[in-house]
Amino acid sequence: MKLYYSPGACSLGIHVILEEIGKPYELSPVALKDGAQHKPEFLAVNPKSKVPALDRGDGRVLTEFPVIAWWLGKSNPEAGLMPTDFEAETRCLEMLDYVCGTIHPQGFTRQFRAANFTPREEDQPKVVEQGKALAAKYFETLEKNWTGGTYVLASGYSVADAALFFVEYWATRRSGMTLPSHLAKHLDAMLARPAVQRALQQEGLPA
């Protein structure tokens, strides 16, 4: 398998999942800041111009974080990263969608790419503040409705934890945010996992 990623991007979550699985894979960096995602070489891999993208090892490529995470979990059952119970799997997918479809774009893309949300440069600081406020609101929603223990799901560790991890990491390492209690404990538990430590080290990111 080959993971197309950018250091510190949401692809970090998929990187963690690959490390948890423990099977051989390659890393192929995509320099988003240099616009590499828009160049022909990468467009041939993913016409959507974004990471993560995963070459499954058979020449076929998967895109979209929730689908890649689900596929990795389902195709590697021995790793125990996807719940086998139907209700738990449903809740896992629900969390993947909330992180990738709401928390990431509304809470953090507003902070990191404010220009995407306003044509006026003078309005960008307001967009950033709005992003922080939304991220805090979403985190509080998770806090109030936390049903797991150390990890997100009552059934235990899963790919949903790798998804939540990347936005928690952004919040604390890039945005200077303070996480509510359950999420702060979750982040600490994630940072203690060897697979997470390896992924951060490989991407040159601080723990």
Side-chain angles (χ1 to χ4, degrees):
M1 295 182 288
K2 180 185 291 187
L3 175 65
Y4 295 86
Y5 80 107
S6 184
C10 62
S11 48
L12 173 61
I14 300 298
H15 193 171
V16 167
I17 294 169
L18 286 166
E19 280 295 325
E20 295 281 8
I21 290 170
K23 290 183 177 178
Y25 69 92
E26 298 176 33
L27 289 171
S28 182
V30 180
L32 300 182
K33 292 182 180 179
D34 298 334
Q37 69 273 31
H38 302 298
K39 295 180 179 178
E41 294 82 4
F42 186 67
L43 288 174
V45 175
N46 184 8
K48 298 173 183 176
S49 299
K50 62 180 184 176
V51 297
L54 180 73
D55 184 325
R56 301 189 298 187
D58 58 4
R60 293 182 292 180
V61 174
L62 281 177
T63 63
E64 306 301 331
F65 189 112
V67 173
I68 296 171
W70 174 84
W71 182 84
L72 285 169
K74 293 289 279 189
S75 60
N76 296 278
E78 69 284 352
L81 299 176
M82 181 59 66
T84 55
D85 174 76
F86 182 62
E87 176 64 17
E89 181 177 357
T90 301
R91 294 302 181 184
C92 182
L93 295 175
E94 182 180 44
M95 179 59 69
L96 288 174
D97 189 70
Y98 189 56
V99 169
C100 299
T102 299
I103 301 177
H104 176 178
Q106 298 299 328
F108 289 97
T109 305
R110 287 179 185 274
Q111 295 183 53
F112 304 154
R113 298 189 180 187
N116 291 357
F117 295 87
T118 175
R120 293 159 48 92
E121 186 174 351
E122 58 269 31
D123 290 337
Q124 291 183 22
K126 294 180 181 178
V127 173
V128 172
E129 287 306 310
Q130 182 186 44
K132 284 189 177 182
L134 287 171
K137 174 184 175 181
Y138 302 144
F139 287 148
E140 282 297 333
T141 297
L142 291 177
E143 177 75 9
K144 292 176 182 177
N145 296 279
W146 193 268
T147 57
T150 300
Y151 297 113
V152 174
L153 302 177
S155 57
Y157 187 70
S158 72
V159 296
D161 293 291
L164 182 57
F165 166 69
F166 82 74
V167 287
E168 291 171 336
Y169 186 85
W170 285 350
T172 56
R173 300 308 191 266
R174 295 178 62 179
S175 298
M177 298 177 65
T178 299
L179 296 172
S181 179
H182 283 302
L183 276 70
K185 292 176 182 177
H186 179 265
L187 176 61
D188 287 343
M190 291 299 293
L191 289 171
R193 295 185 71 88
V196 173
Q197 295 171 8
R198 290 193 298 270
L200 291 173
Q201 183 178 30
Q202 290 164 17
E203 295 196 18
L205 300 171

